[in-house]
Amino acid sequence: MADEVGTELVVRTGADGSFSLWSAAFQEGFHSGRGALREARETFLAPSRLERFPPGSLVRVVEVCAGTGGNVALLLEACAARGLTLEWWGLELDRRPLALALASEAFRRPWQPSTLTALSELLARGHWHGEGATARLLWGDARQTMRDLPRALPGPVDLVWHDAFSPRRCPQLWTLEHLQATTAPLAPEGRWISYSAAAAVRDSLRQLGLHLVALEVAAPGEHPTGRTLWSGGTVASPSPLASDSPAGDRPAAQSLWRELSLMEREHLRSAAGEPYRDPDGTDDAATILARRSQAQRAALASGARGCSGAWRRRWGVERR
Ligand SMILES: C[S@@+](CC[C@H](N)C(=O)[O-])C[C@H]1O[C@@H](n2cnc3c(N)ncnc32)[C@H](O)[C@@H]1O
């Protein structure tokens, strides 16, 4: 049962018992039904493959939409357990998700006291320095803070965790321009990771010259929008991502990701692959959606893209 905590944010509990929120403004949950903690582990932490970094290494991470702080909490503890030094930058518009999370016993339960101190400092001061970790929260519209961030970065970024609301609800953070800004600081072996498998997002990343793989579905049928999934998300990198195991010792059944299937590659070439555009980084959702619809019509008329309805019928995919 959800508790009403304000006009816009409602506390929810995921299937794993972890704390989550639902946004009335965006009409979407912060996490999939499997739960915030499971999603953080399966969608973001696992494909980050922290074991790639020898103990003592510095790992730089940018999180787009830090929300409740659950992802950075997991990352802080995972890096500490591996003897890695973490430098984290979080981008977030709204202070309430982190404040609500810190006020919740259900949220606090899994985390060590030092992790909760870090989150409290981030909320109060926007930064935290601890043994082996530095974290900074940049409050504001991520389109702006992401453009300013490279000046503050001391070097390339190893991981970008992109955890915005879905492209249809929050297209501002999935435009070609914003994806370019978020992927530009990646190190050659860096990884941009998201739960989204949207064709428009994937084709934007492809147009930006990145290599893509599809995350396997961790929990079939579970997504903030309630849709059936064929992929659990996307990993993009400036370098090819041929295998999810540098050591090559994981059985195929445990693979975290795979090459994009023919169905997915055709999806990218359909009208659904038309990128969201926001040239100045200031447009609202309605303007960005209308601009994309116009571009889709033009692409269909010129034959540059195929009809996504035909693609759905060919592959037996239900309409969203
Ligand atoms: C899916 S939730 C984030 C989930 C988060 N990683 C967590 O684990 O709680 C999306 C977040 O995006 C934030 N947001 C929405 N529009 C934004 C914008 N333009 N810039 C930055 N953050 C934004 C919302 O406040 C919300 O916290």
Side-chain angles (χ1 to χ4, degrees), residues 135-177:
R136 292 179 193 82
L137 246 177
L138 308 179
W139 299 109
D141 188 330
R143 289 178 291 182
Q144 189 54 49
T145 48
M146 192 63 232
R147 285 179 188 196
D148 297 340
L149 183 60
R151 284 196 289 277
L153 289 173
V157 165
D158 300 295
L159 298 166
V160 174
W161 288 8
H162 197 108
D163 202 9
F165 288 119
S166 67
R168 286 174 184 214
R169 302 288 183 194
C170 188
Q172 301 93 309
L173 300 187
W174 302 95
T175 62
L176 186 68
E177 292 79 8

Side-chain angles (χ1 to χ4, degrees), residues 100-116:
L100 287 167
L102 283 169
S104 158
E105 183 45 40
F107 175 84
R108 299 176 69 91
R109 203 172 302 126
W111 310 119
Q112 294 173 12
S114 59
T115 305
L116 294 171

